Amino acid sequence: MNIDALSASIVDGLMIGFIYGLAAMGLTLIFGVMRVVNLAHGPVIAVGMFAVLLLAQNLGLNPYLGLVIVMLLGLATGIGMYFIAVHRVIDAPELTTLLATFSVNLMIIGIGTVLFSTSPRALDVSLGSVRTGAVTILGTKLVADLIAVIATVGLYYFLYRTRAGKSVRAVANNRAAAELMGINSTWILALSFGIGIALAMGSGSLLATLFSFTILSGTVYEVKSFVIVVLGGLGNPVGALLGGIVIGLLEGLATISPLPVGWVPVIEFGVFVIILLVRPTGLFGAR
Amino acid sequence: MSALRTPFFWGLLVLLGGVGLLPILNGSDSMREDIFLVLMLVILASSINIIMGYTGYVSFGHIVFFGLGGYVAFYLMLNHQVHFVPAAVVGGIVSSLIAFLLGIPVLRLRGAYFALATIGINEVVRSFVTNFDPFGGATGMFFNYEVYNGYGGSKNALWYAYYAILVVALLCAVSSLLIKKSRFGLGLLAIREDQDAAQVLGIDPARSKVLVYTISAFFPGLAGAIFFFKNGIIEPGPAFDLLRSIEALVMVMLGGYGTVAGPIVGAAVYEQLRAFLITNSTFSSFHLFVAGFLLLLIVLFVTAGLVGWLRQRAPRLRRYLE
Amino acid sequence: MRLLPSRLLLLGISLATLFGAIACAQPSAQPAPTPTVAPKVATSKADTPAARTPAASAPTARKIVIGFTASNTGAQNLPSKKQTEGLQLWLDTVTKAGGIKLKDGTALMPEMKSYDDESKTDRVQALYTKLINEDKVDFLISPYSSGLARAAAVVSEQNGKIMITTGAADDSTMEQGFKNIYQLYAPGSRYLVGAIDLLKDLDPSARKIALIYEKEPFSTSVVQAAQPYARSKGYDVVLFEGYDPGTTDFAPFINKINATAPDAIMGGGHFPDGTTLAKQLYEKKVSVRLVALLVAPPEPTFSEIGDAAEYIVGPSQWEPGVTYSPDAAKAANLPWYGISVKDFVSGYQARFNSTPSYHSAGGYAAGLILQKAIEDSDSTEPAKVKATLDRLNLMTFYGNVQFSIEAKTHGKQVAHDMVYIQWQKDSANKLGTKIVWPPAAKSAGAQLRK
Amino acid sequence: MIALDVQRIESGYGEVQILWGLSLALEEGRLTTIVGANGSGKTTLLRTIMGLIPAWKGSVSFEGRDVTHLSTHKKAQMGLVLVPEARQLFTDMTVLENLEMGATPARARSEYRQTLEWVFDLLPRLKERMNQRAGTLSGGEQQMVAIARGLMSKPKALMFDELSLGLSPVMVMSLFEVIVKLKQQRLTMLLVEQNVQMALAVSDYAYVLSNGRVELEGEAKKVREMEAVRKAYLGL
C-alpha cells in the first residue's frame, strides 16, 4: 500500500467523518429522547440541501449564513412535524412511529419531486485548499468540520449546562417523573424533535457545500446515519460524532486497501449488523 | 386443524381464490398482470405480518428474502436449466434457511434494534450480491428469451407464473391462519404482549421466534423466484429494494396488524389506491404526497387498520374476519 | 371517547377513496368481451378500419396509438421528462403536417398514451401489459433508462408488439433474443470507445488508463466493454474498479486512483456521482491529461460545479451542435429523412423553453423512425413494419440509424455514433460545451488538462 | 381550610374500573394518610389526582380551583406534587441535577439556593452524594432524592406513594423522621403507606380504602383504635 495514499485517505476519512457524524446527530437525539427512529431523516437532510441552495441562489446569501437560517427553519419545522405526525402516537409501539415518520418521508419526497424534480443540483462554493505532500485539505471541508464540532459542543453544552437541556435529558430518562416535577414534557419533546430536525437540515446544508445532490440524496445519508448511530450508541449525540469519524476512517482505509472499492458498503453494513448483535449500546455507549 | 373448519377459512379461500380465478376465466392479460402484482404484495404483506403481527418484531428488511429467493432460483434456472417450479421451491427453502441462521442471533434484539438490524442485513446482502460475480454482480442476470420456449412460449410462461403466485398466495394466507389459530400462534401472541411473561408460561420465546421467522421467509422467497422468472432479469437494486419492504409494512398497517385478513385487504387497497392516484390527472404528480398523507391519517387515527377497526366496531364479525 | 367522530370521518374518507379507486379500476375488472385466447399479433387496428370513425375530411384519417410509460416520479424523472418532450414535439410536428400519409390517402393521426412508472420495473411491466391489452396501442416506445426499458421489452416481446427503445443503451437487453425490439441509442459498449480513440489522437504518449464505474448495470457494462478495447489499443488499464451507487465522497477513491498515476480517467456512472467526482478531481488537483465521464457532462447543469467542469469529456448520443444534414447523408451514401437539426433545436426551444438534450432527441427520433417505417411499409401491420425496420438504414437529425438483423443481437443499434463533448472556456472565459469527437462532427479541437 | 378536595372520583385502566366514586379531602397544614390493602386503589387514586391517568367521573379541586382535567405538569407547577412510587428518579442524571429538575416551577426557581440549603439541611447525606449519578445510589438514598426533589418544587401539598416500600427498618425510621419534621413545618401532606402502624402513628387524619371506595375515615388516632382496622391492617 502506498504511504501517500494512506495518509491522504486517513485525513480524508477524518474530514468526512465529522460531517457524517453531524448528519447522524439529529437522528440519535430524537431516538434518545423519545425512542422514535425518524424515517424522515433523509428527506429532511435533502430539504436542508435545497433550502441553502435556494437561499444562495435567490437571495444571494452566503451558504454559511444560510446555514443559520436553515437551522432556525429546521427548528420550527421539527416542532411542527412533532405535533402533526408524532405527538399522537408517541406512546404507541415502535412500528407506529416508524410509519408515522415514514409518511412524512413520503410527503416530503412527493412535494420535493414536484418542486425540484429529481434533477441534480450543486452549490458552487470554493474556499481554496491547503496542500502538504499527498494530503490536500479543502477549505469547504475544513469549515464544515469546524461547524460540526461547534454543533456537537453546542449540543453538549445545551444538554448538560442549561435548564432546558437538562429538562430534555430528564424527559428522555423518565417522562412521567418529569411531568410530576412540573416539566411540560410535550413541549420538551417537541423542542427535542425540533433540534433533531435542525441538526439534520444543518448537516444537509453543509453537505450541499461539498457534493452535488438531488431531492433523493438524503436516503444515502439516512442509511449511513443508521450505521453511525448504532456504532456510537443509539441516543448518544457525542457517540454519533465518534461513530461518524469511525465510519469516515473505515471508508477511507477500506477504499485504499487492496480490496475492491465495491466491497466497502459490505464491510460498512457488516460492521453495523455485528455491532448491533454484539454490543447494541454502541462502541461508545456508557450503558 | 380446527381453523380449517371455520367460516373464515372458507371465506378466505373462496374470496382470494375467486379473485385469482378471474383472469384465468376471462383470459385478460392486463387483469392478470394487475392481480399478479396484488397477489405478490399479498404474499409480502402476509409474510411480514406472520413475524410482525404475531410476535411484534418489525422486520423492516424482509425484502431480503424476496431478493434471495429470486437470486437463488434465477441462478438455478439460468445456469443449471432447472424448471422454474423446483427452482422456486429451492429459492424459498434457501430463504428460510438463511432466515433460520440469521434469526438465532438477530431475534435476540428487541424493538427498534431489531428493525435496524433487518435493514442492515438487507443492505449487506444487497451490496454483497452487487459484488458477487456468480450472481452477475452489478449487472445482474438475464434470460435469453428462448428460455421461455421450454414453457410453451413466453405467453404461456406468464400464465404459469400467475398460477404459481396464486398458489403461493393461498398457501401463505392459509399458513397465516393456521399459525394464528394454533397453540404455537397463541404462544407467539403471548410473546408479542410480554416476552418475559410468555417465558414464565412455559413458552420458549427464542425457539418460537426463530421458527416463525423461518416460516415467514419462505413465502417471499417463492414470490421473488416467480417474480424474477416472469421478469426475465434480476438485478440487485430491484431485488433488494428497501422501499418495497416498507410499502409492505404500510399494507399490513392499513389492513390491520396481527389479523389474517388485514394484510390481504391492505395489499389490495394499497394497490388500488396507488393505481388510482397515479392515473388520476389531479393527483398524479402529488401521488406520493397523497399516499403519505393517507398513511399518516391511518397511523394517527385508525391504528388498528381497516380489518382491526371492523373487528372492534362489530364484534359479531370476528368469527368471519380473523 | 372524544376521538370517535374523527376516526369515523377518516375511515369514511379512506373508504370513499377506496371505492373511488375501485370504481376507476372497473374497466379492468370488466374488460370488453374478448375471446379467451388473447388477440393474435396480426389482429391489429389495421385489419379493422371499420371500427374507427372516419374523419370528415376527404382523405380518411385514422388514429394510431403510441404507448409508453414515463417516470414522472422517482430517480429517472428528469431525463424521462426530456424524452417525453421530444416525443411530444414529434407528435406535434406530425399532427401539424396532417398525420402520417399512406399511399391510399389515409392519414394516420398519432396519439400518445402514457402512464407514470415511478421509475420501477414491476410497475413498468404491469403498465405495458395494460397499454397493450386495454389501451390497445399500436406501437410502443420504451421508458427511459436501461433497466426500465428491459422490463418493458420483455412484456412487449411476449405480446409481439413492436417497441422502439430510446434512452436505453444497455447491450445485454439486445442480446436476449428479442425479435420486435429496436434500439435507437448506440449501445453502452461503444460509449467509451471514442474517448479512447480521442486520447490516442490527442496524446500519443499516454499509456495508462484508470477505468472506474458506478456499480450498477449500465456503467458496469460500459467499462466492461471499454477495458478490452483499451487494451487492444495498447493501453495499460491500471485500475478497474467500481464504487457503490450511494458513494458521495470520492476523496479516498481519488487517492487510490492517484496511487496508480494514470494518464486518463474514464468511466463514472450517472449525474450526481459524476459531478461530485469531477468536482473532487479538480479540488484534489489530480494530474491526469484526460477525464471522460458518462452521462453527467452533456447535461447543461454540469456547469454548476464551475471551473471543475473544464476539460471534462463526455459521450453523448446527440448534441444540438451536431452536423448531420442531407449533405452529410449524401456523402455517407445514405438516405436522409425528417427534420433538420436546426428546426429540431429551435422547435424544441419554442415549445418547451429549454435546450433539447440527447434524451429529447432520442424521444423525437423514436417517433420519427416509427413514422418512417410506417410510411415505407405503407401499413401499420406489425409484420410489415418489422420487415421495414429490419431493412432501415438512414440518416436523420439524430444521426445514422440501422438495426442488427442477426438472430443473436436482433434489433441492436449498429450504426449510430456517439459524439463526444468537452467543457471548454471560450475567449471570454465562459464555460461551454464543444463537440470534439469524432473528427467529422467536431466543432472544436479537444484540449488536454493542464 | 381544605387544600385538596377529591369528589366522587371514578377511574381505572382500559376497561377496568378501579376507583368507584371515592371522595377525600386534605386539610391544610395537616398530615393525612391513606391505608388499604394491595389493590385497593391507593396508587390509582394518586395517579388520577395528578392526571397521569384521566378521571372518568368526579372532580379534583386544589386550593379552590377545579383541576380535574389539568395536565400533570400544570398541577405540579401549582404546587400539587407527588413523590412517586418506586421513586422514578432521573437515574442518568446526578443528584444535584435531579434536585434542579425538582425546582422547575417558577416559584421554586427564584428561591432555588435557599431551598437547596434547606433540603440539604434536612437530608445531609444528599450533599455528600451531590455529584453522583442518581441511578448508582442505594434504595434508601434514592428515596431521599425523590423526597428532596419533591421538596425542591416548593410544594403546597406533597403526596408520598409507598414511601417505605422495600427499605430497611432503619432507613424507614429515618425517612419518617423527615416526615415528622416536615409536619412540624406545617406542610400539607398525603401519605400512602403499607406500613399502616407507622403511618397512623404520625398522621392527623386517615382514610381506609377498600376496593376503590373509602371504607372509613377519621382522626388517625381514632382509626388506629378501631377494631376492624386493628384486625385487618395491624395484625392485632
Side-chain angles (χ1 to χ4, degrees):
Chain A
M1 197 189 298
N2 182 319
I3 197 78
D4 278 353
L6 182 67
S7 52
S9 290
I10 289 176
V11 172
D12 284 329
L14 265 175
M15 302 288 286
I16 194 69
F18 281 98
I19 302 161
Y20 285 165
L22 183 66
M25 208 166 291
L27 188 72
T28 208
L29 179 75
I30 289 172
F31 183 84
V33 176
M34 58 199 92
R35 310 273 122 184
V36 169
V37 176
N38 177 19
L39 286 184
H41 187 65
V44 164
I45 291 177
V47 169
M49 294 169 168
F50 277 89
V52 80
L53 179 80
L54 291 181
L55 287 173
Q57 287 186 344
N58 296 335
L59 303 176
L61 221 55
N62 178 300
Y64 298 107
L65 199 64
L67 172 81
V68 178
I69 296 174
V70 169
M71 288 189 74
L72 289 175
L73 268 172
L75 187 67
T77 313
I79 291 172
M81 221 172 117
Y82 175 81
F83 283 112
I84 292 169
V86 184
H87 182 60
R88 253 194 94 96
V89 287
I90 190 76
D91 292 317
E94 268 120 4
L95 174 65
T96 313
T97 52
L98 285 169
L99 288 177
T101 54
F102 180 68
S103 69
V104 176
N105 175 324
L106 286 177
M107 286 191 268
I108 297 178
I109 295 294
I111 294 267
T113 314
V114 174
L115 289 181
F116 307 115
S117 79
T118 48
S119 109
R121 309 301 295 269
L123 198 60
D124 186 19
V125 196
S126 187
L127 298 174
S129 59
V130 190
R131 183 164 188 168
T132 47
V135 180
T136 309
I137 296 177
L138 293 179
T140 43
K141 269 194 187 166
L142 205 60
V143 173
D145 284 353
L146 206 66
I147 292 172
V149 173
I150 292 171
T152 314
V153 172
L155 183 62
Y156 192 84
Y157 182 86
F158 169 75
L159 288 175
Y160 286 86
R161 294 282 177 274
T162 66
R163 174 171 275 279
K166 286 177 195 173
S167 303
V168 168
R169 285 166 56 220
V171 169
N173 199 176
N174 188 332
R175 183 139 53 93
E179 274 282 324
L180 285 175
M181 290 305 116
I183 296 172
N184 185 343
S185 66
T186 302
W187 171 242
I188 292 291
L189 290 176
L191 178 71
S192 315
F193 208 89
I195 295 172
I197 298 300
L199 286 167
M201 274 175 63
S203 71
S205 301
L206 284 180
L207 286 163
T209 65
L210 301 174
F211 312 124
S212 59
F213 52 92
T214 74
I215 189 70
L216 306 174
S217 291
T219 316
V220 176
Y221 299 102
E222 177 170 322
V223 177
K224 228 182 255 299
S225 294
F226 286 150
V227 180
I228 291 165
V229 154
V230 162
L231 217 61
L234 268 163
N236 177 353
V238 180
L241 191 72
L242 296 176
I245 294 171
V246 169
I247 285 296
L249 279 176
L250 185 76
E251 282 184 0
L253 292 175
T255 304
I256 56 151
S257 74
L259 199 71
V261 181
W263 288 92
V264 172
V266 184
I267 300 172
E268 209 167 279
F269 290 113
V271 166
F272 168 70
V273 173
I274 291 166
I275 295 277
L276 262 178
L277 293 178
V278 178
R279 200 179 151 83
T281 53
L283 286 182
F284 318 106
R287 274 176 298 161
Chain B
M1 294 282 149
S2 61
L4 298 186
R5 283 193 297 270
T6 59
F8 175 73
F9 170 74
W10 293 106
L12 181 77
L13 219 57
V14 168
L15 210 69
L16 200 59
V19 170
L21 280 176
L22 277 179
I24 299 176
L25 293 178
N26 71 13
S28 157
D29 285 336
S30 57
M31 188 190 227
R32 180 199 63 212
E33 288 301 301
D34 287 344
I35 296 181
F36 181 94
L37 209 54
V38 172
L39 290 174
M40 188 176 98
L41 297 174
V42 163
I43 296 168
L44 290 179
S46 281
S47 53
I48 287 184
N49 184 52
I50 289 177
I51 174 81
M52 180 181 89
Y54 300 161
T55 65
Y57 276 74
V58 185
S59 180
F60 252 82
H62 220 61
I63 200 71
V64 73
F65 301 117
F66 175 80
L68 277 171
Y71 258 103
V72 169
F74 210 98
Y75 179 82
L76 292 175
M77 288 185 271
L78 186 66
N79 295 338
H80 300 283
Q81 287 74 46
V82 178
H83 186 274
F84 103 91
V85 173
V89 172
V90 174
I93 291 173
V94 171
S95 284
S96 276
L97 197 68
I98 290 176
F100 175 76
L101 295 175
L102 282 174
I104 294 169
V106 172
L107 285 160
R108 287 182 319 179
L109 298 171
R110 292 190 186 187
Y113 290 91
F114 175 78
L116 286 177
T118 59
I119 294 179
I121 288 168
N122 185 57
E123 294 303 296
V124 171
V125 175
R126 185 186 56 76
S127 46
F128 175 80
V129 169
T130 306
N131 288 288
F132 188 59
D133 289 332
F135 279 180
T139 42
M141 299 183 280
F142 58 90
F143 288 146
N144 185 296
Y145 211 69
E146 283 158 16
V147 166
Y148 296 118
N149 292 345
Y151 305 93
S154 58
K155 269 190 123 44
N156 265 326
L158 288 181
W159 281 107
Y160 281 131
Y162 180 76
Y163 301 142
I165 206 93
L166 178 59
V167 169
V168 176
L170 284 169
L171 274 179
C172 184
V174 170
S175 310
S176 175
L177 177 67
L178 287 179
I179 291 170
K180 191 180 177 188
K181 292 279 124 185
S182 65
R183 249 187 74 82
F184 174 59
L186 285 175
L188 294 175
L189 291 174
I191 294 173
R192 184 178 92 183
E193 297 315 320
D194 186 342
Q195 189 158 323
D196 302 318
Q199 206 152 8
V200 175
L201 292 176
I203 295 159
D204 179 353
R207 258 176 65 183
S208 307
K209 284 184 299 184
V210 171
L211 182 59
V212 79
Y213 194 53
T214 307
I215 296 171
S216 77
F218 181 63
F219 301 106
L222 283 173
I226 298 165
F227 177 74
F228 289 106
F229 163 73
K230 173 176 114 68
N231 215 333
I233 329 148
I234 188 163
E235 292 168 18
F240 302 102
D241 181 5
L242 204 56
L243 195 67
R244 202 201 292 272
S245 211
I246 299 179
E247 276 182 329
L249 283 173
V250 172
M251 293 167 204
V252 176
M253 279 302 281
L254 184 66
Y257 161 82
T259 64
V260 177
I264 300 170
V265 173
V269 171
Y270 186 86
E271 193 44 39
Q272 292 290 347
L273 208 64
R274 250 169 105 97
F276 169 70
L277 289 177
I278 60 173
T279 48
N280 181 295
S281 57
T282 336
F283 290 135
S284 60
S285 28
F286 286 97
H287 87 263
L288 268 185
F289 177 82
V290 177
F293 185 69
L294 281 177
L295 172 63
L296 186 62
L297 291 184
I298 285 163
V299 169
L300 294 184
F301 302 102
V302 202
T303 328
L306 295 171
V307 170
W309 185 83
L310 270 177
R311 278 168 62 89
Q312 281 168 10
R313 294 271 87 201
R316 274 180 306 133
L317 273 181
R318 290 187 187 184
R319 232 163 80 77
Y320 305 98
L321 210 55
E322 289 291 349
Chain C
M1 298 279 284
R2 270 171 297 163
L3 309 171
L4 266 182
S6 62
R7 279 195 189 180
L8 278 174
L9 182 68
L10 277 166
L11 195 80
I13 295 172
S14 318
L15 285 177
T17 329
L18 168 61
F19 287 132
I22 290 169
C24 287
Q26 273 309 310
S28 71
Q30 299 168 335
T34 34
T36 36
V37 182
K40 283 261 161 51
V41 175
T43 335
S44 95
K45 270 133 213 179
D47 303 329
T48 54
R52 314 258 162 251
T53 24
S57 53
T60 45
R62 188 151 64 75
K63 69 172 188 179
I64 56 166
V65 187
I66 294 168
F68 61 96
T69 69
S71 307
N72 296 337
T73 47
Q76 309 299 353
N77 142 286
L78 182 73
S80 176
K81 179 162 163 263
K82 286 272 185 191
Q83 181 169 310
T84 309
E85 285 176 353
L87 189 61
Q88 180 69 51
L89 186 66
W90 167 76
L91 195 96
D92 291 355
T93 318
V94 173
T95 312
K96 212 178 289 167
I100 304 171
K101 308 263 180 15
L102 299 187
K103 290 205 176 71
D104 64 1
T106 318
L108 300 170
M109 303 303 286
E111 272 176 24
M112 298 202 303
K113 181 81 199 171
S114 86
Y115 297 106
D116 179 13
D117 57 39
E118 299 173 67
S119 314
K120 284 195 174 136
T121 51
D122 45 340
R123 200 122 326 248
V124 162
Q125 295 206 323
L127 291 174
Y128 272 83
T129 310
K130 190 175 159 86
L131 283 168
I132 294 165
N133 293 293
E134 264 172 55
D135 301 316
K136 309 254 181 254
V137 299
D138 299 276
F139 297 99
L140 290 167
I141 288 175
S142 73
Y144 175 78
S145 91
S146 298
L148 298 188
R150 178 142 64 165
V154 172
V155 177
S156 178
E157 185 71 23
Q158 280 158 348
N159 289 279
K161 278 279 166 195
I162 290 174
M163 180 166 95
I164 310 282
T165 76
T166 179
D170 195 18
D171 284 85
S172 52
T173 310
M174 302 313 294
E175 289 161 12
Q176 269 178 278
F178 293 139
K179 293 185 177 63
N180 300 291
I181 314 297
Y182 293 90
Q183 182 182 42
L184 217 46
Y185 270 27
S189 53
R190 300 235 296 279
Y191 264 57
L192 287 175
V193 166
I196 293 166
D197 292 340
L198 170 65
L199 178 65
K200 191 115 200 141
D201 183 64
L202 204 58
D203 182 9
S205 68
R207 279 284 148 268
K208 295 193 279 186
I209 298 182
L211 285 174
I212 56 173
Y213 57 99
E214 186 185 1
K215 276 248 173 193
E216 57 77 60
F218 166 70
S219 324
T220 310
S221 63
V222 170
V223 289
Q224 275 169 357
Q227 188 183 26
Y229 186 78
R231 290 212 171 112
S232 76
K233 292 284 163 183
Y235 286 103
D236 185 8
V237 178
V238 289
L239 186 71
F240 185 80
E241 272 199 32
Y243 53 85
D244 188 66
T247 307
T248 50
D249 183 31
F250 288 91
F253 194 40
I254 291 172
N255 297 333
K256 190 165 192 172
I257 297 171
N258 260 340
T260 63
D263 297 309
I265 297 171
M266 294 186 187
H270 289 85
F271 196 98
D273 53 316
T275 41
T276 305
L277 184 59
K279 193 176 173 195
Q280 296 191 342
L281 285 171
Y282 173 77
E283 288 167 340
K284 295 205 100 187
K285 301 187 170 64
V286 176
S287 55
V288 291
R289 314 303 311 277
L290 189 76
V291 177
L293 297 176
L294 304 173
V295 182
E299 295 290 336
T301 45
F302 190 67
S303 63
E304 279 186 2
I305 59 172
D307 284 353
E310 199 184 1
Y311 304 120
I312 304 287
V313 171
S316 173
Q317 295 285 347
W318 179 89
E319 283 297 309
V322 292
T323 52
Y324 304 118
S325 65
D327 289 342
K330 206 171 287 171
N333 205 12
L334 287 171
W336 169 267
Y337 182 72
I339 197 169
S340 71
V341 175
K342 197 168 134 281
D343 287 350
F344 171 71
V345 175
S346 60
Y348 192 91
Q349 196 97 42
R351 175 79 160 78
F352 301 107
N353 199 23
S354 68
T355 314
S357 68
Y358 67 83
H359 313 103
S360 325
Y364 191 103
L368 195 64
I369 291 298
L370 208 52
Q371 178 183 3
K372 173 73 173 158
I374 293 169
E375 279 175 5
D376 284 6
S377 323
D378 196 31
S379 163
T380 52
E381 234 177 276
K384 286 185 186 164
V385 175
K386 200 170 119 54
T388 312
L389 283 168
D390 283 345
R391 285 195 310 267
L392 217 59
N393 184 9
L394 79 174
M395 187 177 275
T396 68
F397 82 103
Y398 170 74
N400 194 356
V401 171
Q402 188 184 2
F403 305 105
S404 163
I405 48 168
E406 278 172 46
K408 197 174 164 288
T409 60
H410 184 265
K412 190 170 176 171
Q413 182 55 244
V414 291
H416 189 65
D417 276 319
M418 301 297 292
V419 294
Y420 293 80
I421 58 98
Q422 185 175 39
W423 285 86
Q424 297 182 351
K425 280 187 174 161
D426 61 13
S427 49
N429 218 24
K430 202 174 165 308
L431 272 173
T433 55
K434 291 278 189 293
I435 298 175
V436 295
W437 196 261
K442 73 182 183 183
S443 60
Q447 299 168 356
L448 287 173
R449 291 178 54 167
K450 287 167 190 128
Chain D
M1 269 291 280
I2 306 272
L4 179 73
D5 190 15
V6 177
Q7 287 293 333
R8 290 183 300 281
I9 204 85
E10 291 184 27
S11 96
Y13 299 93
E15 287 173 11
V16 185
Q17 183 159 359
I18 310 262
L19 302 181
W20 300 84
L22 187 155
S23 300
L24 65 88
L26 244 59
E27 286 245 27
E28 214 163 89
R30 302 233 294 172
L31 172 56
T32 310
T33 191
I34 298 178
V35 298
N38 262 341
S40 61
K42 294 172 301 194
T43 295
T44 309
L45 173 64
L46 291 182
R47 293 173 66 84
T48 310
I49 292 175
M50 284 312 293
L52 286 171
I53 55 172
W56 299 357
K57 273 184 189 161
S59 71
V60 178
S61 327
F62 183 61
E63 299 196 311
R65 188 178 152 194
D66 182 11
V67 297
T68 321
H69 299 294
L70 215 56
S71 57
T72 307
H73 68 269
K74 287 211 174 110
K75 289 179 190 170
Q77 282 172 0
M78 284 176 70
L80 181 60
V81 174
L82 173 68
V83 176
E85 187 187 5
R87 303 176 279 273
Q88 308 272 359
L89 295 185
F90 305 121
T91 46
D92 293 343
M93 300 170 82
T94 65
V95 170
L96 191 63
E97 282 174 329
N98 267 278
L99 302 188
E100 203 182 332
M101 288 298 103
T104 295
R107 297 173 289 109
R109 258 186 247 188
S110 54
E111 295 171 34
Y112 175 68
R113 289 271 149 229
Q114 300 95 294
T115 322
L116 192 64
E117 249 171 64
W118 171 63
V119 164
F120 279 155
D121 233 28
L122 204 65
L123 297 154
R125 187 145 7 148
L126 294 186
K127 198 165 183 178
E128 302 159 22
R129 298 269 189 260
M130 201 162 70
N131 293 315
Q132 209 166 318
R133 265 187 351 136
T136 62
L137 300 180
S138 74
E141 288 169 336
Q142 288 199 11
Q143 189 60 277
M144 286 180 189
V145 178
I147 296 169
R149 188 180 61 176
L151 290 171
M152 285 302 294
S153 67
K154 304 282 302 181
K156 291 183 183 155
L158 190 57
M159 307 185 283
F160 299 92
D161 195 4
E162 305 290 13
L163 185 71
S164 65
L165 198 69
L167 300 180
S168 71
V170 183
M171 184 56 75
V172 173
M173 279 308 290
S174 60
L175 288 178
F176 268 90
E177 276 167 27
V178 175
I179 300 289
V180 171
K181 273 186 199 159
L182 292 171
K183 186 185 169 190
Q184 283 159 359
Q185 297 183 20
R186 299 199 57 75
L187 179 64
T188 312
M189 288 185 286
L190 176 64
L191 188 61
V192 168
E193 257 298 326
Q194 296 236 307
N195 193 333
V196 177
Q197 179 120 25
M198 276 186 99
L200 289 176
V202 299
S203 301
D204 299 312
Y205 199 82
Y207 290 89
V208 178
L209 251 57
S210 167
N211 295 323
R213 293 185 177 84
V214 174
E215 196 169 77
L216 50 96
E217 62 177 291
E219 291 297 321
K221 240 178 251 152
K222 288 198 183 130
V223 171
R224 213 170 146 198
E225 307 288 295
M226 288 177 195
E227 197 59 34
V229 176
R230 293 173 71 89
K231 259 199 187 138
Y233 303 110
L234 302 178
L236 298 173

